[in-house]
Amino acid sequence: RYLEPLSEDGFLPVALAKVHPRFQTPYRSIMLTTSVVICMIIFLDFSRLVDISSMAVISQYTATCLAVIWLRVKQPDRERTFRIPGGVTVPLIGCAVALWLVTSIKIAEVQFTMGAIALGVVISMIYHYVGKKTVAEAT
């Protein structure tokens, strides 16, 4: 489901944001993600899958912590819907814990995951900057 908002914002093809008429789910995004995961299941062993999955979760958690820090520093006057006790201290601790957790993952899986993330960022940025339509523009 992560592909749906990226598609809605114009970072991936708008077709990936298409919602199923009956179930109201982004079925094309789900099918693409499922296909990639099935390929990984076929070609990778369980230990590598666990490490890659852990690295993916840690990456998402770290990105959230860094976004909180960035927004608190760059937009201090922005209205906040929630308050974090300790300000940016909690997200900084979160980043430190994430870094510590990464040390328990094999380097090959860290490299694979970071490479996949980098590839995804490059693809989405290229797609976004060549002027593709967002969902709002497509309707």
Side-chain angles (χ1 to χ4, degrees):
R1 295 187 77 126
Y2 289 111
L3 302 180
E4 179 188 18
L6 289 170
S7 299
E8 289 174 347
D9 292 340
F11 288 97
L12 291 173
V14 72
L16 291 174
K18 180 133 173 84
V19 176
H20 191 277
R22 179 175 171 207
F23 301 112
Q24 298 301 305
T25 56
Y27 68 101
R28 290 179 179 171
S29 296
I30 293 170
M31 288 189 315
L32 176 62
T33 305
T34 302
S35 299
V36 170
V37 170
I38 287 171
C39 290
M40 291 175 70
I41 289 169
I42 291 170
F43 295 109
L44 300 175
D45 63 56
F46 183 75
S47 176
R48 290 191 75 188
L49 291 170
V50 168
D51 283 347
I52 291 168
S53 175
S54 297
M55 188 63 200
V57 170
I58 291 168
S59 299
Q60 292 169 342
Y61 181 75
T62 303
T64 301
C65 290
L66 292 173
V68 168
I69 295 167
W70 177 265
L71 289 171
R72 300 290 181 198
V73 171
K74 292 294 182 180
Q75 299 177 8
D77 297 329
R78 185 175 184 161
E79 183 181 338
R80 309 291 182 206
T81 57
F82 66 94
R83 190 165 198 275
I84 299 174
V88 296
T89 305
V90 172
L92 284 171
I93 292 170
C95 289
V97 169
L99 185 61
W100 173 71
L101 289 171
V102 168
T103 62
S104 67
I105 298 174
K106 295 180 197 85
I107 191 70
E109 280 69 24
V110 172
Q111 291 171 334
F112 176 84
T113 307
M114 297 311 289
I117 291 170
L119 179 63
V121 168
V122 167
I123 289 170
S124 68
M125 296 311 270
I126 289 171
Y127 194 86
H128 183 69
Y129 288 112
V130 293
K132 298 298 178 184
K133 292 181 180 178
T134 64
V135 169
E137 295 168 335
T139 56

